[in-house]
Amino acid sequence: MQRSSTPTDAARRGRQARGGRGIPGERAMLTAMGVDAVGSGMYVPFSLVFFHHITGLSFTVVGAVLTAVGLVGMAALPLAGTAVDRYGARRVQLLLYGVRGTGFALYPFATTLPAFAAVALFTAFGDRAFPAVQQSWIGEVAAGVDRDRLQAASRALRNGGLGAGALLASLAISLAGGSGFTIAAWLNAASFGLAALLVRGIRPAGAVNGSATGAGKSASGQAQGGQAQSGRAPGGVAGRSAARGCRGAAQQAASGYRTVLRDRAFLGLTGANLLTALGYSALPVMFPLFIVGRLGLPQALTGAAFTLNTVLCAVGGVAVAGIVRRRGARRTRAAALGAVLFASAFAGLALLGTVRPHAGWVLPVGLFALVVLYTLGETVHSPSSGTLAVAAAPSALRGRYMATYQLSWSLASTLAPSLFTALNAADPRLPWLLLTGTALSAAALLVRLEKRLPADAVRLTSPAPVAASVPSAVLTPAPASSAQAPGPTDREGAPVGTPARTA
């Protein structure tokens, strides 16, 4: 059989020639990420103070409520994963923008404990589920190196937006006083609305009837199309192969989370991320305690460390990820390298807390050097680990897979405050030694999983949008001797390793 060239093929070759740049709606997508981050930055640094000011509740009560609703909010992740697989990531993402925007618009009116708890719980469902849905959205609109590039850009925008939002909120509070907290909450709600408008206009390339459909439904429809195609074509080898692959995707979608739980390689990947995600929580939780308590440095250096990390991630994140991509590093090894850099920084902080040199300039210089090393580990690890998880997930179950993976982030951020403060009370060096061990364990686990994960997930592949529904191949008769058995397929159901034949 011969497969004639289609406009989709030509567009794909054009994107490859441009190095993967040219995803439909990419600018709007990145702008939405930036707007979301700026709005969140206006609220996140002041959350405890904001709720204390609005409700009059103590910081202890506010913290307890936020912790409780955060844990309960994790229950939204499995539901969001199922919804993504059924309805598509874009629709679920728009719904979550609405949930988060409504929650923040209502916060200034939640002046009693029951009202505050109810609004916080409602908003927590959206906040906990959103990262997994956005990862699935990236998986729908991009593939190969484009996923890595978008992942790096989203991380950089997130850091830059949070920093810019924090500055805007500080300005609003300084000018408007207590009313500035209300302004910050409403501006955050407005940012979710604007981001939703931007995302609403984006369509995955080739979407059916102008919208993305659920992977399970898409798989069933493609299987039927494959059967019809196999009936038309002499021999029908390609059609039957496509039908079998699509029926397998439909069966995966029907099995739900049972398939995820049977995927030991992916569960191992999620476990490795949990070990590394504890390190991401070190900056907001451990640095303030360590800098002032153990090192005896001024409180102002805590803010300076945050600022340095944010600026370096925003400015250098995309560049560092680009270097990793151009060198053709395997995603597993790039993520492992990032974990090793984390471990080096944590070990250095434990050493700095032990030696505590008396020279006035040595401590601050050593601290900021280790912050730079920590940030380098973040910029290397984050894009590779995120796209590794997206690529390792079958398209029919990407929502459920990403929801499972996101549990590692949620669990780490929930455990970190109590775990780190308990260890810090015993010895301020213990948290850093623990994080050194978890980071090194994560790196070893990632390398060990390399052979068990799908090859197209481990290695960078040529970019192509995977959410597009590819038009039926135009088949023309060919000599029977030229027919070939179907080759292997990747996790997206596309053939790999077999070049297109020409007349």
Side-chain angles (χ1 to χ4, degrees):
M1 296 294 178
Q2 293 178 343
R3 186 185 188 279
S4 66
S5 179
T6 67
T8 303
D9 298 324
R12 182 181 294 113
R13 287 194 294 269
R15 282 189 295 271
Q16 293 172 349
R18 293 191 299 270
R21 299 183 183 276
I23 299 172
E26 179 177 341
R27 288 186 179 181
M29 187 176 184
L30 293 176
T31 302
M33 292 178 183
V35 170
D36 181 349
V38 171
S40 297
M42 297 188 69
Y43 158 77
V44 170
F46 309 100
S47 56
L48 289 175
V49 179
F50 169 77
F51 291 124
H52 170 73
H53 175 81
I54 291 294
T55 63
L57 300 171
S58 68
F59 288 112
T60 302
V61 173
V62 169
V65 171
L66 292 179
T67 300
V69 300
L71 288 171
V72 177
M74 291 171 62
L77 277 168
L79 299 176
T82 302
V84 166
D85 292 334
R86 180 168 297 181
Y87 303 109
R90 175 179 163 276
R91 292 180 181 179
V92 181
Q93 189 171 17
L94 289 173
L95 174 63
L96 294 182
Y97 273 135
V99 169
R100 299 164 80 201
T102 301
F104 278 93
L106 292 176
Y107 267 138
F109 304 103
T111 55
T112 64
L113 177 58
F116 164 53
V119 175
L121 179 60
F122 177 76
T123 309
F125 280 124
D127 284 338
R128 291 294 187 181
F130 186 82
V133 176
Q134 181 163 281
Q135 290 279 45
S136 299
W137 177 229
I138 291 176
E140 285 187 7
V141 301
V145 294
D146 277 338
R147 283 180 183 164
D148 297 75
R149 182 169 54 80
L150 283 180
Q151 182 72 22
S154 67
R155 186 74 184 181
L157 287 169
R158 180 71 178 170
N159 281 277
L162 288 174
L167 291 175
L168 289 175
S170 299
L171 179 62
I173 294 169
S174 64
L175 294 177
S179 300
F181 292 107
T182 300
I183 294 173
W186 284 343
L187 286 177
N188 193 16
S191 73
F192 292 136
L194 178 56
L197 289 176
L198 290 167
V199 170
R200 188 183 180 190
I202 303 173
R203 297 288 192 278
V208 179
N209 296 328
S211 64
T213 58
K217 296 179 181 178
S218 175
S220 299
Q222 288 172 4
Q224 294 171 0
Q227 291 170 347
Q229 183 188 66
S230 125
R232 289 194 306 269
V237 175
R240 287 195 298 271
S241 175
R244 284 194 298 269
C246 293
R247 281 196 299 270
Q251 291 170 357
Q252 281 184 335
S255 64
Y257 280 101
R258 287 175 295 176
T259 299
V260 183
L261 296 177
R262 286 196 297 264
D263 193 337
R264 294 186 178 181
F266 190 86
L267 293 181
L269 183 62
T270 302
N273 192 67
L274 172 62
L275 295 174
T276 312
L278 287 170
Y280 280 84
S281 300
L283 189 63
V285 177
M286 271 305 301
F287 270 72
L289 298 175
F290 186 73
I291 290 174
V292 178
R294 181 68 179 180
L295 300 183
L297 295 173
Q299 182 70 48
L301 290 184
T302 300
F306 275 92
T307 302
L308 179 61
N309 171 262
T310 299
V311 171
L312 289 178
C313 283
V315 175
V318 175
V320 171
I323 293 173
V324 173
R325 288 197 308 274
R326 286 192 294 272
R327 290 183 176 274
R330 300 177 186 180
R331 291 187 178 112
T332 45
R333 298 188 183 184
L337 173 60
V340 170
L341 292 172
F342 272 141
S344 302
F346 298 144
L349 287 164
L351 179 62
L352 191 65
T354 300
V355 177
R356 287 186 290 181
H358 297 291
W361 59 272
V362 176
L363 267 180
V365 171
L367 173 67
F368 286 117
L370 292 171
V371 171
V372 171
L373 182 60
Y374 171 91
T375 306
L376 181 61
E378 182 177 346
T379 56
V380 172
H381 175 270
S382 179
S384 301
S385 63
T387 50
L388 176 62
V390 174
S395 59
L397 289 175
R398 185 177 290 125
R400 291 175 174 89
Y401 269 72
M402 290 301 96
T404 303
Y405 188 76
Q406 182 61 31
L407 282 173
S408 63
W409 289 106
S410 298
L411 189 59
S413 63
T414 301
L415 293 176
S418 57
L419 176 62
F420 291 162
T421 51
L423 291 174
N424 184 74
D427 189 323
R429 295 167 294 183
L430 287 179
W432 302 121
L433 294 175
L434 171 68
L435 290 172
T436 301
T438 58
L440 290 175
S441 299
L445 183 56
L446 284 166
V447 174
R448 185 173 182 179
L449 288 171
E450 189 171 275
K451 294 182 179 180
R452 299 176 59 190
L453 291 167
D456 59 303
V458 172
R459 297 180 181 273
L460 293 174
T461 57
S462 300
V466 299
S469 58
V470 181
S472 299
V474 179
L475 301 174
T476 58
S481 60
S482 65
Q484 295 181 355
T489 60
D490 61 17
R491 292 295 280 261
E492 309 292 348
V496 296
T498 304
R501 297 170 56 200
T502 56

